[in-house]
Amino acid sequence: MKALIVRLSIIILASMGLFTYVFADDSGDPTTVNKLLTDGTQEVTADELLINAPFDSKAEWESYSDKDVKMGVADGVYHVSLKGNISTFGLNYKSQSDTVIQVKAKQISEKTDNAYGVICRSTINGNGDGYYFLISGDGSYTITRVKGSVTTLVKWTESKAINKGQDENELTVVCVKNYLAMYVNDVLLAETTDDTFLQGDTGLTISGFADDTEVKVDFDDARVWSASLASGADTVTDTTSSSDLPGTLTSYDGKPKEAIAELEQLSVIPAGSSQIFNENHAFFTGQGNWFTPLASRAPHKNIVMGSELTFTVGSSSEFESCSLISRIKTNDQGTATTYVQVGIGNDGYPYILDRFSEAQDSSVEIGSSELDLKQPHHVLFTLINDVANIYIDGSLEISNFTIGERSGTYGISLSGRGPKARCDGRNIWAFAVPNVQAGQCAVSSSKVANKRNGPGTSFDAAGQLAAGDEVIVSGQAKGSDGKNWWQLEDETWVRSDLVTAVGDCANVPIVKP
């Protein structure tokens, strides 16, 4: 059977309206598709028709069948089906480099916990490597790169352009130079750049996301055109913004305060960060999943975290990892239900994983640098609102990774499958980053703090400030109880000794209650 691709993320979305669209004409003339391609940031031109597949012949496209997977031409369509939490694909063995691919896809099965779509530049080894342009039955889309493991290039996102369930969709995919783009039903959904694969076969793919899932999709009217950039350039500039992040840091392996000072100087984070914890050493060894919580009573949302990690691999046949964990939420049994994990896999590649729901939905990205695991490596990352950036040994490895917004705590973890697996963490630290603009003051608390309608305990209760939440301050006053109180944006008050204040708090105006 073909490559098995583990589910990385899926979003169950509300129902949305249907879109209509116009297909390319039967002759394969590129005029219609070229009008569509003007919507992108890069002007692409479809040229010669390389493949025209109405699927009235079994030649040129893969056929396969076993108890879980079936694929092949039947009844004028290319039919692909599977059962279970697996993926499969079929290829047309005509290697191309720069192409525009268009195909109609109709989900036949009823359940929507699936993905289906187009592969471009699938490598000749037939292991499933290549670029995947996927939509789901519940109306989401993604672009991923598969090279042994899966790297998310464009995260799962909902779109009203996608017809849900058993309604037909038309996918138009652009793979020209390092420019990748995805249209569904004549609507541009995503653009990105990547130069890992520059040539390969065209494929059609489906995935199931649960053990009891049955996925059936019919593909029809597949066309592949050669294509080029109108500019004639060999590469295009990355279409995603890096927010002017520095590519390298100099203070990544020394004292935490020096690292924070450099990040503030480079405007990666605002001024006013405060240290949450600093642990000298923690380690695990052996088979199993090991985890040590850190600062479990001090949750925060916006942080910088770092450590020197040394990873000794115990098994090369099963996945192992040595990682730092943050934004941890636990249930009543103390089990971590959601978290952000930044670490190193036993293949030598750094990664970030955001388990953003209690249903264990996750998104992941794998870095491009293979690390020497015989050496320690310095990991430093920032989590600011819904964006994560990861530096390895001072170099920016993963940027602008989207994460779920929430507060949480911290830890270090080993996932070991061999008896000699070991994860050493030295100089493990974290700083809370104020989410304030210049001139603002904000407060947060490591545990629930009561709010009042006025500055004093004699005033009525007005709710609570949740642990880890950060709120902008609008005023201050001396309370009727003799304590200092902060007035919050919602005009409630919280006692100053119960919270931590960050930012320009000395100049907060005094309010007369």
Side-chain angles (χ1 to χ4, degrees):
M1 189 165 60
K2 295 295 182 182
L4 307 183
I5 303 171
V6 179
R7 174 189 185 188
L8 296 179
S9 64
I10 190 71
I11 305 170
I12 306 302
L13 305 166
S15 62
M16 297 178 286
L18 304 183
F19 272 61
T20 60
Y21 45 91
V22 179
F23 294 116
D25 63 69
D26 292 339
S27 68
D29 185 289
T31 301
T32 301
V33 74
N34 279 333
K35 290 180 180 178
L36 175 64
L37 297 178
T38 60
D39 291 345
T41 59
Q42 304 299 321
E43 188 175 349
V44 174
T45 301
D47 301 312
E48 179 186 357
L49 184 65
L50 303 176
I51 298 174
N52 188 4
F55 298 115
D56 52 9
S57 170
K58 295 184 179 181
E60 297 182 336
W61 289 82
E62 279 190 285
S63 295
Y64 182 86
S65 179
D66 66 16
K67 65 182 182 66
D68 295 319
V69 172
K70 290 181 174 58
M71 67 176 73
V73 174
D75 300 322
V77 297
Y78 189 68
H79 179 78
V80 188
S81 64
L82 61 75
K83 295 179 180 179
N85 185 13
I86 59 175
S87 296
T88 191
F89 61 89
L91 300 179
N92 178 286
Y93 290 113
K94 288 184 178 179
S95 184
Q96 301 105 15
S97 54
D98 298 329
T99 58
V100 171
I101 305 165
Q102 193 171 72
V103 68
K104 301 174 186 176
K106 181 176 177 60
Q107 179 182 315
I108 305 303
S109 49
E110 293 183 358
K111 292 185 177 180
T112 59
D113 52 345
N114 58 38
Y116 57 94
V118 174
I119 311 171
C120 80
R121 297 176 180 170
S122 185
T123 55
I124 195 169
N125 57 24
N127 65 357
D129 287 357
Y131 296 115
Y132 284 65
F133 301 78
L134 304 173
I135 62 175
S136 63
D138 56 22
S140 304
Y141 64 90
T142 185
I143 303 176
T144 64
R145 180 187 70 223
V146 177
K147 188 178 181 182
S149 55
V150 181
T151 298
T152 302
L153 301 178
V154 174
K155 302 195 176 306
W156 279 110
T157 307
E158 67 173 304
S159 173
K160 293 182 179 180
I162 300 172
N163 295 328
K164 293 183 179 182
Q166 296 172 310
D167 289 296
E168 191 172 61
N169 290 282
E170 182 187 54
L171 287 76
T172 304
V173 166
V174 178
C175 298
V176 178
K177 305 302 182 184
N178 65 330
Y179 174 65
L180 308 174
M182 179 181 187
Y183 297 75
V184 177
N185 302 331
D186 292 347
V187 177
L188 176 63
L189 298 185
E191 299 174 283
T192 189
T193 57
D194 190 88
D195 59 4
T196 304
F197 305 112
L198 297 177
Q199 187 168 339
D201 300 330
T202 298
L204 302 170
T205 181
I206 67 172
S207 298
F209 293 150
D211 291 338
D212 61 348
T213 295
E214 183 176 24
V215 184
K216 295 180 180 179
V217 177
D218 286 345
F219 297 93
D220 200 3
D221 293 332
R223 295 182 177 89
V224 181
W225 291 271
S226 63
S228 58
L229 293 173
S231 64
D234 290 331
T235 60
V236 300
T237 304
D238 191 347
T239 57
T240 60
S241 170
S242 62
S243 301
D244 298 322
L245 288 168
T248 58
L249 302 174
T250 58
S251 300
Y252 60 87
D253 59 351
K255 297 179 180 179
K257 289 184 179 179
E258 293 177 355
I260 293 298
E262 181 180 20
L263 293 172
E264 291 179 350
Q265 182 181 12
L266 295 171
S267 300
V268 177
I269 59 174
S273 296
S274 59
Q275 184 169 294
I276 304 169
F277 68 89
N278 192 346
E279 293 288 339
N280 290 330
H281 186 212
F283 75 94
F284 311 92
T285 185
Q287 294 170 290
N289 297 311
W290 310 94
F291 167 74
T292 288
L294 300 167
S296 59
R297 296 184 179 180
H300 286 277
K301 179 173 71 171
N302 297 325
I303 66 160
V304 179
M305 189 170 180
S307 178
E308 177 187 278
L309 295 181
T310 302
F311 184 19
T312 302
V313 174
S315 171
S316 58
S317 61
E318 299 180 80
F319 181 73
E320 297 181 326
S321 66
C322 174
S323 62
L324 302 175
I325 306 180
S326 58
R327 290 194 179 179
I328 302 169
K329 289 282 192 181
T330 58
N331 58 21
D332 293 340
Q333 291 73 43
T335 302
T337 55
T338 60
Y339 52 84
V340 176
Q341 184 176 41
V342 176
I344 304 169
N346 56 349
D347 58 359
Y349 287 92
Y351 70 91
I352 179 171
L353 180 146
D354 180 22
R355 177 156 288 177
F356 53 81
S357 80
E358 294 185 2
Q360 299 188 345
D361 294 329
S362 303
S363 57
V364 67
E365 184 166 338
I366 300 170
S368 58
S369 299
E370 185 174 4
L371 307 177
D372 180 1
L373 296 186
K374 294 180 181 179
Q375 303 295 326
H377 295 282
H378 294 90
V379 178
L380 183 152
F381 61 91
T382 65
L383 306 183
I384 308 296
N385 297 324
D386 64 346
V387 175
N389 295 294
I390 296 94
Y391 288 84
I392 305 294
D393 297 327
S395 296
L396 182 62
E397 186 66 28
I398 298 173
S399 62
N400 296 319
F401 180 83
T402 303
I403 53 178
E405 290 198 54
R406 59 194 184 273
S407 61
T409 57
Y410 329 87
I412 181 171
S413 174
L414 166 69
S415 177
R417 296 296 175 262
K420 295 184 179 180
R422 182 181 174 98
C423 178
D424 274 280
R426 296 184 182 273
N427 190 26
I428 313 166
W429 55 270
F431 272 65
V433 177
N435 187 24
V436 295
Q437 299 176 0
Q440 287 184 326
C441 172
V443 296
S444 63
S445 177
S446 60
K447 57 184 179 180
V448 173
N450 291 324
K451 298 193 294 184
R452 299 276 179 176
N453 283 327
T457 53
S458 60
F459 289 89
D460 291 338
Q464 294 180 319
L465 178 64
D469 283 358
E470 190 173 81
V471 181
I472 300 297
V473 169
S474 60
Q476 60 178 318
K478 179 75 74 172
S480 58
D481 54 2
K483 302 287 187 179
N484 292 321
W485 287 72
W486 295 113
Q487 185 183 45
L488 308 181
E489 282 186 313
D490 62 359
E491 298 187 351
T492 63
W493 294 77
V494 64
R495 211 169 76 190
S496 64
D497 60 339
L498 300 179
V499 296
T500 300
V502 294
D504 187 12
C505 298
N507 296 315
V508 172
I510 296 175
V511 176
K512 290 185 179 181

